[in-house]
Amino acid sequence: MKSVSFDATEAICGAIFICLGIFFAWQAYDLDLGTTFRMGPGYFPLALSLILILLGGVIFLRAGKVANEPMTSIAWRGIFFILPAPIFFGLTVRGLGFVPSLFLSALIASFASHKMKPMMAVLLSAAITVFSVLVFDYGLGLPFQRFGPWLNF
């Protein structure tokens, strides 16, 4: 029979998330919330802070776990491919435009997995790009440049 232990670092992390969520919910509550169909400026921050409180609660509850769980190694490949992808997107979206920046960012992030083959990464990046253009440009009508001034299209 395995014993249950309490992981203090995970409990502290969950408590920090809960406190941050409460703080941001309190700040968002001072703004006009509106309704679900006519959202005010405080609606979305309040929803995000409630999600943060919920996630903090889950992390806090996971602090009591079964002892002697094996510690896995740090996934350095994931860190070095996933973290630069949104940074690359943010730095190039104005110059390259939405389509090339998103495609290249998805391509960078897709190589975080050892199982990803180059052809599959290109197909996945193209599918993500097409889906995002359909949703954000045609579906929501957001104003953005598909191709930026760095490209002569």
Side-chain angles (χ1 to χ4, degrees):
M1 184 170 165
K2 295 185 178 184
S3 62
V4 176
S5 67
F6 189 74
D7 187 5
T9 56
E10 200 162 332
I12 291 170
C13 181
I16 288 172
F17 279 11
I18 291 170
C19 290
L20 281 173
I22 291 171
F23 174 75
F24 287 118
W26 181 46
Q27 296 296 319
Y29 198 69
D30 289 339
L31 300 171
D32 181 30
L33 296 178
T35 64
T36 305
F37 293 109
R38 297 197 48 92
M39 296 178 194
Y43 190 88
F44 193 65
L46 181 64
L48 288 179
S49 63
L50 292 176
I51 292 171
L52 185 62
I53 293 169
L54 178 71
L55 290 175
V58 169
I59 292 171
F60 188 80
L61 291 176
R62 280 185 33 99
K65 60 182 178 179
V66 177
N68 299 328
E69 288 184 3
M71 183 70 142
T72 59
S73 63
I74 297 174
W76 291 108
R77 183 179 174 116
I79 290 172
F80 288 127
F81 281 107
I82 291 177
L83 288 178
I87 295 170
F88 176 82
F89 180 81
L91 293 174
T92 60
V93 71
R94 287 190 179 167
L96 288 175
F98 182 73
V99 173
S101 294
L102 181 62
F103 177 80
L104 292 172
S105 297
L107 190 65
I108 291 168
S110 66
F111 286 110
S113 172
H114 293 286
K115 298 176 184 177
M116 183 63 70
K117 304 281 188 242
M119 189 61 184
M120 190 62 187
V122 170
L123 291 174
L124 178 67
S125 299
I128 289 171
T129 304
V130 168
F131 177 76
S132 297
V133 168
L134 289 174
V135 168
F136 294 116
D137 192 18
Y138 296 110
L140 297 174
L142 296 178
F144 59 81
Q145 288 183 329
R146 288 188 195 146
F147 297 95
W150 293 352
L151 303 173
N152 293 326
F153 288 129

